[in-house]
């Protein structure tokens, strides 16, 4: 089960839940699991980055998840 | 630390391919395009910092001889525009469209209200004078703290802070962010020393030498070409076409050579105006800002107020840190409030922290990205507080940072655990550097500070064409600002196993190569370099296939070594190795021209850390600061072209020192900028600075084929605190307000 941590300001959309475990083989399935549970997350997920096991993906799609993967969502960064 | 790899091309220092043209004046920049029948566009700007526009009448301008077109906000398509502009400070396209041309209100002095195109620049100036605009002036709000007050004048009456639940009342706070871990109350209770300060950073301009400039030529069907100075021509195409309701494919954007950007040329200002004026006039239209317009109307970096509280134990362990930072956004939302929050504590292992940041509207120009957006302001506050902690604990400031330094496996303040990073390596390199081992000159203070930026990947495309003689052409879509053509050629040469001189690079227009995001975010060498490397691997695969066909072997029996195809180990084939030139000459008979291509969304950008230190002396009578020496240490992952990495480090240090020592926007009470030129807005010149010494640390980024991290953003972060800490130590008083200009410093020196 991947350990998933959501940004604090998403808790208004998730009923206060910020840390959860999700059984998913890849990011697409994890994302699908989140939006099935909280449909309002769909929009914010489009506009955020995600770190999977320390690696930051600005646009994740099919990245594989291990059974003990750590997943953090965060704002997208670009720079100047 | 990753093992050093012995490369043949990467790590060498050839002269950049565009260098000769740029130093001889042959290079073609934004304003150098000249077309037959070309006319000239100019912009009419608001004389008020805040006012309602009651009417705009351009008929007087159109009646003048030699005037071909005049436009105002009413000429732009109505309705909201979906989408966002890339990069911090970008904001929504809808806001950028209203920044390009005001609609119902002007929101800062210099905001565009109309534009004309005429036969000559003088005729265009005369036409501007004939445009009648009626305003209802409003009181401006110019200070970030005043703007946050509940009774403040509203820049935008429809702005409500973006929160999960819409606030009851509008305000000037557009966004707010928060990062938290542990308990700061418990952390401060465990501290032996606590430092609490309020720091201020002024607005600062990117200071690119080339003002924005473009030429648009649009035909009677609404299709055409735009030549411009840009960090990202694909994103300029998207923004311009969306603002004007055009189809993306109706516009070709050609990137000219660019005379500096630093984030400021990631957003459009003139381009939609030039396209619309060209469409209305039926003529090519050239537009170029002058320096005054650049200062009055293009995006600076945010001014900020940062309140910081830091606690530490006697052994140097930081027990808690609390930061509250308000960033000015200018007239539209888009200050880098989240990157600033995410960066401030990134170099350290902290168990207890809280960061609260705010994106605040004021009646000043809309901010734009500037190297590591948000980080210089936030990290200035924390790095200065750390210096004071080091003084209180009577410990070396590098040792204090080493004691708390983040390393591989440390959980970053913004969530994930760091992969391999080079912060400790930078600290150790700084501590053992001869400049740090040297005594501090008499009367000077030595400042130390750390820098950080996330770095990004994003989308890039590249093609690699093998010419008939085996030389190589790299086609890429990333405008070359910092020497990236040379870096692309080096990576291509290394991958293909040939000499650098056999490779050329071309930055192609939007019709001629695949999509690329902006040159920004320290991404080009990382992401476009990754695309070039993959395109070269594509070429190698094709070459091995051609060689296998030639020799009658299977493809997997052929290998690529030192720029030629050879039979693999154990393959019994009495054949002569085929070089790239051999294969190119025979290409017609083996399947046609050889090319490789790659397009990708590069993931896994590696964070870059830096440690800077410098010795600064203050003239106690005049308040003038002299930078006696300055040293920048930074982890580049792998320096593809070390001279250009050093150039980024030196340039960032110079810009950061300028921000720290002299640069600031000075507004009067009406919101009119009083120093819109390089005479009064003082960027550093050569005589102001010593040689910036550099040391490149290389802790490879495992996500890049050559270990690249990206280097362009981080160098500007540390210098602000280096300067403040050095000056504070030199005068034995803590300074909290930038710039460290003579009048500001004299106030501190002469104060209680």
């Amino acid at each position: 089960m991947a350990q998933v941590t959501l940004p604090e300001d998403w808790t208004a959309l998730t009923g206060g839940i910020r840390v959860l475990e999700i059984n998913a083989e890849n990011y697409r399935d994890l994302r699908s699991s989140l939006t099935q549970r909280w449909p309002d997350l769909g929009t914010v997920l489009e506009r955020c980055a995600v770190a999977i096991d320390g690696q930051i993906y600005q646009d994740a799609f099919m990245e594989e998840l291990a059974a003990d993967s750590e997943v953090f969502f965060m704002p997208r960064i670009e720079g100047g | 630390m990753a093992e050093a790899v012995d490369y043949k091309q990467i790590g060498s220092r050839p002269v950049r391919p565009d260098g000769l043209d740029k130093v001889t004046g042959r290079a073609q920049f934004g304003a150098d395009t000249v077309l037959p029948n070309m006319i000239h566009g100019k912009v009419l700007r608001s004389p008020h910092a805040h006012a309602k526009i009651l009417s705009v009448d351009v008929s007087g301008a159109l009646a003048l001889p030699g005037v071909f077109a005049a436009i105002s906000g009413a000429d732009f398509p109505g309705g909201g525009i979906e989408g966002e502009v890339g990069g911090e400070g970008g904001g929504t396209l809808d806001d950028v469209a209203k920044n390009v041309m005001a609609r119902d209100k002007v929101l800062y002095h210099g905001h565009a209200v109309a534009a004309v195109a005429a036969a000559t620049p003088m005729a265009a100036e005369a036409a501007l004078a004939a445009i009648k605009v009626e305003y209802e002036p409003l009181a401006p709000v110019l200070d970030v703290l005043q703007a946050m007050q509940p009774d403040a004048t509203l820049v935008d009456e429809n702005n409500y802070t973006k929160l999960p639940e819409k606030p009851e009342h509008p305000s000037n706070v557009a966004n707010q962010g928060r990062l938290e871990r542990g308990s700061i109350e418990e952390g401060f209770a465990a501290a032996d020393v606590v430092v609490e300060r309020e720091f201020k950073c002024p607005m600062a301009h990117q200071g690119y030498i080339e003002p924005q400039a473009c030429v648009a030529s649009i035909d009677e069907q609404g299709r055409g070409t735009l030549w411009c100075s840009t960090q990202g021509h694909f994103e300029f195409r998207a923004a311009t076409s969306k603002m004007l309701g055009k189809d993306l494919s109706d516009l070709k954007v050609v990137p000219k050579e660019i005379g500096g950007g630093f984030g400021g040329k990631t957003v459009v200002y003139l381009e939609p105006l030039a396209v619309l004026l060209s469409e209305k006039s039926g003529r090519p239209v050239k537009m170029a800002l002058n320096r005054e317009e650049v200062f009055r109307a293009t995006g600076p970096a945010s001014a900020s107020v940062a309140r910081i509280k830091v606690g530490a134990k006697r052994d140097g362990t930081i027990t808690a840190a609390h930061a509250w930072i308000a960033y000015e956004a200018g007239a539209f939302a888009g200050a880098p409030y989240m990157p600033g929050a995410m960066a401030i504590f990134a170099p350290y292992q902290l168990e207890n922290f809280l960061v609260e940041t705010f994106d605040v509207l004021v009646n000043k120009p809309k901010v734009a990205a500037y190297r590591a957006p948000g980080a210089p302001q936030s990290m200035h506050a924390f790095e200065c507080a750390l210096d004071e902690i080091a003084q209180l604990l009577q410990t070396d400031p590098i040792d204090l940072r080493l004691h708390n330094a983040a390393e591989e496996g440390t959980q970053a303040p913004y969530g994930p655990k760091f992969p391999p990073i080079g912060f400790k390596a930078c600290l150790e390199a700084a501590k053992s550097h001869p400049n740090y081992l040297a005594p501090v000159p008499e009367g000077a203070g030595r400042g130390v500070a750390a820098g950080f930026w996330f770095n990004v990947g994003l989308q890039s495309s590249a093609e690699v064409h093998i010419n008939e003689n085996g030389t190589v052409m790299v086609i890429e879509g990333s405008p070359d600002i910092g020497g990236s053509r040379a870096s692309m050629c080096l990576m291509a040469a290394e991958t293909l196993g040939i000499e650098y001189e056999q490779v050329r690079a071309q930055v192609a227009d939007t019709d001629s190569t695949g999509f690329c995001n902006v040159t920004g975010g320290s991404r080009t060498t990382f992401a476009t370099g990754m695309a070039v490397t993959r395109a070269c691997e594509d070429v190698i695969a094709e070459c091995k296939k051609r060689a296998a066909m030639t020799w009658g072997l299977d493809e997997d029996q052929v290998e690529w070594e030192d720029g030629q195809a050879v039979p693999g180990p154990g393959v019994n084939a009495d054949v002569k190795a085929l070089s790239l030139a051999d294969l190119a000459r025979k290409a017609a008979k083996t399947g046609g021209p050889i090319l490789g291509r790659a397009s990708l969304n590069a993931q896994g950008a590696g964070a870059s850390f830096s440690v800077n230190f410098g010795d600064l002396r203050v003239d106690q009578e005049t308040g003038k600061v002299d930078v006696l020496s300055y040293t920048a240490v930074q982890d580049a992952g792998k320096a593809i072209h070390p001279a250009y990495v050093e150039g980024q480090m030196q340039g960032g240090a110079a810009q950061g020192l300028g921000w720290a020592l002299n640069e600031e926007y000075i507004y009067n009470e009406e919101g009119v900028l009083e120093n819109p030129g390089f005479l009064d807005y003082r960027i550093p010149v050569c005589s102001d600075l010593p040689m910036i010494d550099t040391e490149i640390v290389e802790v490879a980024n495992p996500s890049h084929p050559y270990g690249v991290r990206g280097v362009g953003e981080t160098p500007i972060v540390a210098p602000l605190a280096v300067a403040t800490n050095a000056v504070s130590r030199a005068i034995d008083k803590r300074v909290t307000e930038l710039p460290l200009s003579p009048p500001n410093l004299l106030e501190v020196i002469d104060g209680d």
Side-chain angles (χ1 to χ4, degrees), chain A residues 8-9 12 18 47 51 53-60 63 70 72-80, chain B residues 84 86-88 164 178 231 262-263 373 411 415-417 419 453-454 456 520-521 601 603-604 703 713:
Chain A
E8 190 172 296
D9 57 354
R18 196 170 166 218
R47 300 170 58 182
D53 298 326
Q55 195 72 263
I56 296 176
Y57 300 87
Q58 300 288 330
D59 297 285
E63 281 68 24
E70 291 183 331
F72 288 86
F73 289 91
M74 67 186 74
R76 282 174 66 92
I77 296 290
E78 292 207 1
Chain B
E84 295 191 348
E88 278 70 33
R178 182 183 171 95
Q231 289 180 237
F262 312 109
Q411 190 174 12
K417 288 177 181 164
W453 189 250
F454 314 85
V456 296
N601 190 343
Q603 310 295 343
S703 297
E713 314 285 306

Side-chain angles (χ1 to χ4, degrees), chain B residues 381-436:
Chain B
F382 187 55
E383 293 293 319
C384 287
L386 278 187
D387 196 61
E388 198 170 351
I389 294 271
Q391 284 187 303
L392 289 171
L393 298 175
Q394 296 183 314
T395 188
D396 180 276
I398 292 183
D399 285 340
L400 177 70
R401 288 168 172 83
L402 270 169
H403 186 72
N404 294 283
E407 57 191 347
E408 182 177 359
T410 298
Q411 190 174 12
Y414 47 86
K417 288 177 181 164
F418 281 122
I421 56 172
F423 185 45
K424 278 194 167 176
C426 287
L427 287 163
E428 283 157 0
K431 196 176 178 193
S432 60
H433 195 283
N435 291 356
Y436 200 74

Side-chain angles (χ1 to χ4, degrees), chain B residues 539-551:
Chain B
V539 165
I540 291 170
E542 181 64 23
C543 286
K544 287 163 68 176
K545 181 179 152 192
R546 305 280 180 109
M549 285 194 297
T550 304
W551 293 332

Side-chain angles (χ1 to χ4, degrees), chain B residues 423-487:
Chain B
F423 185 45
K424 278 194 167 176
C426 287
L427 287 163
E428 283 157 0
K431 196 176 178 193
S432 60
H433 195 283
N435 291 356
Y436 200 74
L437 297 174
V440 181
E442 192 176 340
R446 176 167 295 166
V448 173
F452 163 82
W453 189 250
F454 314 85
N455 297 332
V456 296
L458 305 178
Q459 299 176 82
S460 284
S461 304
E463 296 113 51
V464 173
H465 296 263
I466 309 304
N467 297 324
E468 306 93 289
N469 64 351
T471 57
V472 175
M473 192 74 219
V474 173
I475 311 293
E476 52 158 328
S478 295
D480 180 358
I481 306 181
S484 60
R485 287 185 184 94
S487 298

Side-chain angles (χ1 to χ4, degrees), chain B residues 26 125 160 361 447 484 544 644:
Chain B
R26 278 199 299 268
E125 290 283 359
Y160 291 80
L361 304 182
S484 60
K544 287 163 68 176
Y644 300 151

